[in-house]
Amino acid sequence: MQLLEFAVLLIIAGVCGGIGQSIAGNSRAGCLGSIALGFIGALLGMWLARTLKLPEPFALNIRNGGSFPIIWSIIGASLFVAVLGMLNRGKKN
């Protein structure tokens, strides 16, 4: 993977993580947090899709035969942020 491909992958993960945060109603994480949420969401979303035997409706193809699941990344990030929000709901800042 070249540097440009990696940078594009980070941008896509950040956008997916940011959309997932918006859907879940939490926007505390910054740019790096959104990127991390995008990757965690991709892992969680693809695990959920494989477990339920659901198709991958929209994926970003990467040169070496891999793909980045856009829809499942957003769904996974939303679920992850929602669970984190429920766990932190009782704590006061």
Side-chain angles (χ1 to χ4, degrees):
M1 181 178 298
Q2 295 178 353
L3 184 60
L4 182 62
E5 292 172 353
F6 186 68
V8 169
L9 193 61
L10 288 177
I11 291 169
I12 297 297
V15 170
C16 290
I19 292 171
Q21 284 180 0
S22 297
I23 291 172
N26 186 356
S27 61
R28 289 187 179 179
C31 184
L32 292 177
S34 293
I35 292 171
L37 281 172
F39 281 117
I40 292 169
L43 293 173
L44 181 64
M46 284 307 296
W47 173 80
L48 185 65
R50 286 185 187 127
T51 302
L52 299 175
K53 295 181 173 90
L54 298 172
E56 190 174 328
F58 183 68
L60 176 69
N61 291 327
I62 302 172
R63 264 190 202 175
N64 298 332
S67 64
F68 189 83
I70 302 293
I71 301 296
W72 291 118
S73 178
I74 293 170
I75 292 170
S78 298
L79 290 173
F80 187 67
V81 170
V83 168
L84 286 178
M86 286 191 297
L87 293 176
N88 289 331
R89 190 170 303 259
K91 297 179 182 178
K92 293 192 178 198
N93 294 332

